[in-house]
Amino acid sequence: MKFFTKEVKIALIAIIGIVVLFYGLKFLKGLHLFSSTTSYYVAFNDVSGLSPSSPVYANGYRVGVVKTMNYDYSPQGKIIAELDLDKNMRVPRGSHAELASDLLGNIKINIVFSDDPIHMISVGDTIPGELEAGMMNKVGKMLPAIEKMLPKLDSILLNLNLLLADPALRNTLHNVEGMTGNLNAASADLKNLSASLNREIPGMMSKTNEVLDNTQQLTGNLAAINVAEMTAKVNQTLANVEQMTQKLNSNEGTLGLLMRDASLYQNLTSTAASADSLLIDLRQHPKRYVHFSIFGKKDK
């Protein structure tokens, strides 16, 4: 009697199909088919949206999946999620797992590592679970501080309204507007001045170069002067002036006599007085000195 009858073959094919289907479903869920993972447990107070096969991330990298979820009927009422992590994964002591959602609303678990590089959580131990502080939770934490700030904001707004209603502020704004116009005008004038300077600077530079050339030429001429020879001539001139001064102070020479001889001065004064009297008499009695007649007759 043959063992592999038609019915046996059909049964074996059905069993193989069931096994393939079972492991295929596990594979599609992200579960490993063979023992290349290690298990850790996470306790949550609320696991809304979390389900088996949900991904587990560490520093943004997928390191495992949620294998199973069980409710702890002890008084704490925790939900225990079994994590299937990569066998090379080591979780430092003090780390925790956060339940988070992405932009599409998919729930995932993020493992947040601590700073302890030495002490590790043993395989099979429980990792503390927390809910990720979302935007609304952060806003809720900020509400008490905002409530304390509201009276101060109200006072600030009141003072601001009073300030805005003050006519002096409007006048100040008008003055600022006028100052802005003046600044714009000054800026335009400065721009024109800068353009004018840019046009005139080349000519000024050429004139400056000419002045520098003349200065260099003057410096060269001064350097070419024989200072010793000039000093000798100046000393000689001073000696001549001194000699002439000595002669003037002595009784030698005409100038010396004029300056030193009193009798010569008196004679010259007397001569000048006589000449003056002669000129006066000549002007008063010209006929005494000039005889002139048309017919040649002498006037007695």
Side-chain angles (χ1 to χ4, degrees):
M1 183 178 179
K2 292 180 64 177
F3 177 76
F4 289 103
T5 60
K6 185 177 181 180
E7 292 77 6
V8 173
K9 291 180 180 179
I10 293 174
L12 291 175
I13 291 172
I15 293 171
I16 293 173
I18 292 172
V19 172
V20 171
L21 179 61
F22 175 77
Y23 284 104
L25 290 174
K26 285 185 172 293
F27 178 76
L28 291 176
K29 289 180 179 180
L31 300 176
H32 294 278
L33 300 180
F34 303 101
S35 179
S36 61
T37 60
T38 54
S39 295
Y40 291 87
Y41 296 92
V42 181
F44 292 105
N45 292 324
D46 187 358
V47 290
S48 299
L50 187 67
S51 62
S53 74
S54 294
V56 179
Y57 290 88
N59 297 330
Y61 183 79
R62 182 168 176 170
V63 295
V65 295
V66 177
K67 186 176 181 180
T68 60
M69 295 176 59
N70 297 299
Y71 188 82
D72 185 7
Y73 290 95
S74 62
Q76 289 79 10
K78 298 282 187 179
I79 296 95
I80 308 300
E82 182 181 358
L83 307 183
D84 221 5
L85 303 182
D86 189 279
K87 65 178 182 180
N88 296 319
M89 174 62 63
R90 295 291 180 270
V91 181
R93 188 174 298 173
S95 303
H96 65 275
E98 291 183 350
L99 193 63
S101 61
D102 56 18
L103 296 176
L104 299 177
N106 299 319
I107 304 300
K108 61 182 180 179
I109 293 178
N110 290 327
I111 298 178
V112 181
F113 296 125
S114 66
D115 297 331
D116 189 352
I118 299 176
H119 304 92
M120 301 294 167
I121 297 176
S122 301
V123 176
D125 284 350
T126 301
I127 303 173
E130 299 178 2
L131 292 177
E132 185 182 38
M135 183 62 68
M136 297 304 297
N137 292 332
K138 293 180 180 178
V139 172
K141 293 180 180 179
M142 292 173 61
L143 284 178
I146 294 175
E147 290 178 354
K148 293 180 180 179
M149 292 174 60
L150 286 177
K152 296 181 180 179
L153 290 175
D154 189 19
S155 176
I156 291 173
L157 291 175
L158 179 60
N159 293 329
L160 184 60
N161 290 330
L162 293 175
L163 179 63
L164 292 176
D166 191 352
L169 180 61
R170 290 193 294 270
N171 296 331
T172 302
L173 292 177
H174 289 305
N175 294 334
V176 170
E177 184 178 0
M179 291 172 62
T180 303
N182 294 333
L183 288 175
N184 291 332
S187 177
D189 294 339
L190 184 60
K191 184 177 180 180
N192 295 332
L193 178 60
S194 177
S196 177
L197 287 176
N198 290 332
R199 291 192 301 268
E200 295 178 0
I201 279 176
M204 294 172 62
M205 292 300 295
S206 62
K207 292 181 179 179
T208 303
N209 292 331
E210 292 178 1
V211 172
L212 291 176
D213 293 338
N214 295 333
T215 303
Q216 291 178 355
Q217 184 176 0
L218 177 61
T219 304
N221 294 334
L222 291 175
I225 294 175
N226 192 340
V227 178
E229 183 178 356
M230 180 181 292
T231 304
K233 291 181 179 180
V234 170
N235 291 333
Q236 184 178 359
T237 302
L238 293 175
N240 293 334
V241 170
E242 184 180 1
Q243 184 178 3
M244 184 179 66
T245 303
Q246 291 177 355
K247 288 182 178 181
L248 288 176
N249 292 328
S250 65
N251 294 329
E252 297 178 0
T254 305
L255 290 176
L257 291 174
L258 286 174
M259 293 178 64
R260 307 288 294 180
D261 193 351
S263 61
L264 179 60
Y265 171 74
Q266 292 174 358
N267 292 333
L268 287 174
T269 303
S270 176
T271 302
S274 299
D276 186 44
S277 300
L278 179 62
L279 289 174
I280 293 172
D281 186 63
L282 178 63
R283 187 169 51 252
Q284 292 177 352
H285 306 283
K287 294 180 178 182
R288 292 179 182 178
Y289 303 95
V290 178
H291 300 279
F292 180 78
S293 174
I294 299 174
F295 300 101
K297 186 180 178 180
K298 252 184 203 184
D299 190 12
K300 293 184 181 179

